Amino acid sequence: MVTGSIELDEILRIILLASLFIASVLLLGPHIIRALIRLLRHMEVVEAKLFIPFVFVMTLAWLANLVGLATIVGAFAAGLLMLDSHFQAWGDYRKHKYSIKELFAPLEAILVPIFFVLMGIQVKLESFLDPQVLLLSAGLTLVAVLGKLVAGLGVMGADRRRLAVGIGMMPRGEVGLVFASIGISLNVIDKAMFSAVLMMVMVTTLATPPLLKWALGDSTEGKGPDRSVGKQCQ
């Protein structure tokens, strides 16, 4: 495992670099997308909605890696700009047969399971019986849960609504696994740390649905779903 000290100037540099990157993408991205649409106007709308977003995402992921950021930062920035409304050149986007999300759904169905398979390959099951891993996982899970519950206190409304929003934000999901995978590939974290992170992701993800149902139980009984909580989360 690689050891060292925390360098505040390096952390600030990365934060500044990521902020500048996302700001630049948000500023220039729409112009680039419109230029690509004009260039590829002869394509069918389905082909354009597949090709242009794919090229845009791959390019931004490569650029993010080029400037020293994680590729997920570039992909996330591209996702912020990939809107069906950009494709008005093919008529009213609301009348298109397929949306970008619908077209990429089959690709997601293929790649997401492969991603989780790759994550599982890197985990040794015997590490889950290691007391050090279990203790570290418990600490990470506690911090992950408390951090989101405290964040939920900022929600306006009743205490139960604050609790529901905090619980709803608990799952770490794929993003946590992506950064853990990057860390282990760079030898920044070892197998034990990776296993602890994976366990934390599993616990927070699996525990959220029943806890959220409990938190919303009294307020939704006999009234249908509570839309206000969803609005607060957005």
Side-chain angles (χ1 to χ4, degrees), residues 152-173:
L153 295 178
V155 175
M156 303 296 292
D159 291 340
R160 183 166 287 273
R161 182 179 297 175
R162 296 191 185 102
L163 179 62
V165 172
I167 292 174
M169 295 190 296
M170 272 173 38
R172 291 306 188 269

Side-chain angles (χ1 to χ4, degrees), residues 31-202:
H31 301 287
I32 297 174
I33 294 173
R34 284 193 286 269
L36 286 172
I37 288 176
R38 286 195 298 268
L39 183 65
L40 302 173
R41 180 66 180 84
H42 63 283
M43 298 178 70
E44 295 291 333
V45 61
V46 172
E47 296 173 346
K49 281 190 171 184
L50 276 172
F51 183 73
I52 293 175
F54 182 79
V55 170
F56 193 62
V57 169
M58 293 298 105
T59 300
L60 288 188
W62 172 73
L63 287 175
N65 182 72
L66 189 66
V67 300
L69 298 172
T71 54
I72 191 175
V73 175
F76 173 76
L80 293 175
L81 298 176
M82 275 298 112
L83 305 174
D84 289 283
S85 56
H86 288 304
F87 294 83
Q88 293 279 18
W90 286 269
D92 188 350
Y93 72 94
R94 290 167 295 187
K95 296 181 180 180
H96 291 171
K97 187 175 181 180
Y98 300 106
S99 65
I100 296 175
K101 182 178 180 180
E102 290 171 334
L103 289 172
F104 275 84
L107 189 61
E108 178 187 11
I110 295 173
L111 296 181
V112 170
I114 293 175
F115 168 76
F116 282 106
V117 168
L118 293 176
M119 293 298 101
I121 289 174
Q122 300 180 72
V123 177
K124 294 183 178 180
L125 292 178
E126 58 269 23
S127 64
F128 290 133
L129 301 178
D130 186 338
Q132 182 180 357
V133 172
L134 293 175
L135 182 61
L136 181 58
S137 174
L140 289 174
T141 303
L142 180 62
V143 172
V145 172
L146 290 180
K148 294 303 184 182
L149 292 179
V150 172
L153 295 178
V155 175
M156 303 296 292
D159 291 340
R160 183 166 287 273
R161 182 179 297 175
R162 296 191 185 102
L163 179 62
V165 172
I167 292 174
M169 295 190 296
M170 272 173 38
R172 291 306 188 269
E174 296 87 345
V175 175
L177 294 178
V178 167
F179 282 105
S181 178
I182 293 172
I184 200 171
S185 66
L186 297 175
N187 293 321
V188 175
I189 63 175
D190 57 14
K191 294 286 186 179
M193 176 65 78
F194 181 81
S195 298
V197 172
L198 179 60
M199 192 176 298
M200 178 272 292
V201 169
M202 291 171 57

